[in-house]
Amino acid sequence: MYAKLFCGVALVATLSAPAMATDTDYSGVLSKIKLPDGFKISIFAEMPKPREIEVGKPNGVIYVGSRHGHIYSMVDNNRDGVADEVRERVNGLNVPNGVAMQDSMLYVGMQDKIAMWPVPAEFDTALPLEPLIPINENMTSEFLHGWRYIGFGPDRKLYVSLGAPCNICELTANTGKIVRMDPDGSNWEVVADGVRNSVGFDWHPKTGQLWFTDNGADGMGDNIPADELNVVTEIGQNFGFPYVGGQDTKLTGFEDKEPPVPLTPPVIDFGAHTANLGIEFYEGDMFPGEYRNDAFVAQHGSWNRTVPDGYRIMRVKFDDDGNATGTEVFAEGWLDGGAAVGRPVDIEELPDGSLIVSDDFANVIYRITYGD
């Protein structure tokens, strides 16, 4: 282990031997999870506070961001459904929630910057993630809603969520948006405006449209405003914050203010405060055919609701034209008698068609499979 200074922050890289996937008994958590018939859930890996997941290509090295300074990588070398290498690659970063890869290069979304690692990210998992080279520092550094979610789109541009640094407030040029840029950080463009706090987005496999979750405001009661699922049909659309939440709920302090531009309502209203985060469109062959091109959404769960809600994975059904037609619960049980035993964060599909899910409360990565 050694420390290195990066952009004024002491980084600590762990170069010790990789840990095994898990040495803890999680049967008490797993036994509570209910899934549709034929599906199974297991522990893929164990690590502290995992958040956004990125599955590398072509070798399948998986990177996991966090809100606690560190990034982990994990590898299932023998493809038995359990990571046999779990390694901390860096520590001391400024909220490195977001991880994304393109052409084997790793990008990290931090609270104050986007950076990239100029080494092929699947080359050697014993290497520390240094140096990390900033490509864009046009971020507002307030902590609230500053945990960036990032991902490369079909257009090969890097998309970044920029949360509003408040509960309800006016937005600035670089808050309350989803933006995109070239891989070198240039050509910054607003894709979606009026977005309070999106911590998950993905592109529909057939239409290529960007769908994103957005978390509603607090302090207005248990049942309003709704959390949202939105779709970008025109670059630069405004999705309502801070004027409206959900379909038509006027937000506190903006009841009598007229939005300066037309607003785009959400396609789906989720329950208020259910904290919808990661979204993943399913493209694999492992699950039954009716799941193909549907989306899975991780509900992290409420923290300030009288009766807790969320703590599950939702399925969003789509028709053949790429239109969302409804929702249903896919996995639940992380809320047990009103107490949380887990909080799903992000969802990614593995090459074999199984799903992995991060949980920053139980400190694990789950794997969901179908069949034998």
Side-chain angles (χ1 to χ4, degrees):
M1 182 179 292
Y2 72 93
K4 188 175 181 71
L5 196 66
F6 168 66
C7 294
V9 178
L11 305 188
V12 179
T14 300
L15 299 180
S16 57
M20 297 301 292
T22 177
D23 52 13
T24 305
D25 181 9
Y26 289 97
S27 59
V29 175
L30 296 176
S31 64
K32 293 178 171 63
I33 308 306
K34 299 180 180 65
L35 289 156
D37 289 345
F39 288 89
K40 299 176 183 177
I41 188 168
S42 58
I43 301 296
F44 184 79
E46 179 181 29
M47 67 184 62
K49 305 299 181 184
R51 295 279 293 188
E52 187 176 356
I53 309 168
E54 178 72 355
V55 180
K57 296 177 182 177
N59 298 331
V61 176
I62 303 165
Y63 281 85
V64 186
S66 78
R67 287 169 53 187
H68 293 264
H70 57 259
I71 295 174
Y72 273 70
S73 67
M74 52 186 183
V75 185
D76 179 10
N77 288 304
N78 59 8
R79 301 296 192 266
D80 66 348
V82 178
D84 40 52
E85 176 186 307
V86 179
R87 193 188 297 266
E88 183 185 271
R89 303 293 294 278
V90 69
N91 208 329
L93 297 178
N94 188 3
V95 193
N97 184 86
V99 286
M101 293 176 67
Q102 182 168 265
D103 299 334
S104 295
M105 307 306 289
L106 178 69
Y107 291 72
V108 180
M110 290 174 271
Q111 184 175 309
D112 57 341
K113 65 177 69 70
I114 307 297
M116 61 90 66
W117 186 40
V119 176
E122 297 191 287
F123 174 67
D124 184 349
T125 56
L127 293 176
L129 299 184
E130 61 89 19
L132 288 173
I133 300 173
I135 64 163
N136 197 299
E137 299 180 87
N138 189 27
M139 310 287 152
T140 297
S141 61
E142 284 92 340
F143 177 77
L144 189 62
H145 305 152
W147 31 95
R148 313 297 175 200
Y149 193 93
I150 68 175
F152 280 97
D155 55 6
R156 297 183 56 80
K157 289 181 178 287
L158 181 64
Y159 288 66
V160 181
S161 62
L162 305 175
C166 60
N167 181 35
I168 304 172
C169 63
E170 295 278 5
L171 298 178
T172 65
N174 57 357
T175 64
K177 295 167 178 58
I178 296 174
V179 301
R180 67 181 176 185
M181 64 194 75
D182 290 341
D184 63 0
S186 64
N187 295 319
W188 171 291
E189 181 182 19
V190 175
V191 175
D193 207 343
V195 180
R196 181 178 178 270
N197 183 32
S198 177
V199 198
F201 49 75
D202 197 13
W203 290 263
H204 190 280
K206 292 182 68 175
T207 68
Q209 291 178 324
L210 176 66
W211 291 76
F212 66 92
T213 60
D214 194 14
N215 290 296
D218 298 317
M220 295 180 61
D222 280 354
N223 299 313
I224 59 170
D227 279 7
E228 303 174 1
L229 180 63
N230 298 282
V231 60
V232 177
T233 57
E234 251 181 69
I235 297 299
Q237 284 171 290
N238 191 296
F239 291 86
F241 184 83
Y243 301 95
V244 175
Q247 297 295 323
D248 54 10
T249 302
K250 296 281 190 178
L251 299 187
T252 302
F254 288 81
E255 296 93 339
D256 299 324
K257 295 185 179 182
E258 192 68 24
V261 295
L263 305 182
T264 301
V267 178
I268 287 175
D269 281 0
F270 290 115
H273 313 300
T274 49
N276 296 267
L277 304 186
I279 176 174
E280 176 77 355
F281 281 99
Y282 188 74
E283 302 181 64
D285 296 321
M286 177 184 286
F287 292 5
E290 59 264 29
Y291 285 87
R292 181 176 281 272
N293 299 329
D294 285 354
F296 295 97
V297 174
Q299 292 191 336
H300 198 227
S302 59
W303 61 271
N304 62 342
R305 198 174 185 280
T306 304
V307 178
D309 196 8
Y311 305 89
R312 59 192 168 218
I313 298 173
M314 300 295 292
R315 174 190 178 189
V316 183
K317 295 182 178 182
F318 284 77
D319 64 20
D320 291 340
D321 295 323
N323 302 306
T325 60
T327 66
E328 66 182 24
V329 174
F330 175 70
E332 63 181 343
W334 286 282
L335 188 64
D336 182 40
V341 298
R343 303 189 75 186
V345 178
D346 197 23
I347 307 171
E348 285 289 316
E349 184 180 321
L350 292 180
D352 65 0
S354 62
L355 296 179
I356 53 175
V357 181
S358 57
D359 181 335
D360 65 351
F361 186 87
N363 296 315
V364 296
I365 307 291
Y366 306 101
R367 180 172 178 254
I368 297 176
T369 59
Y370 181 82
D372 295 334

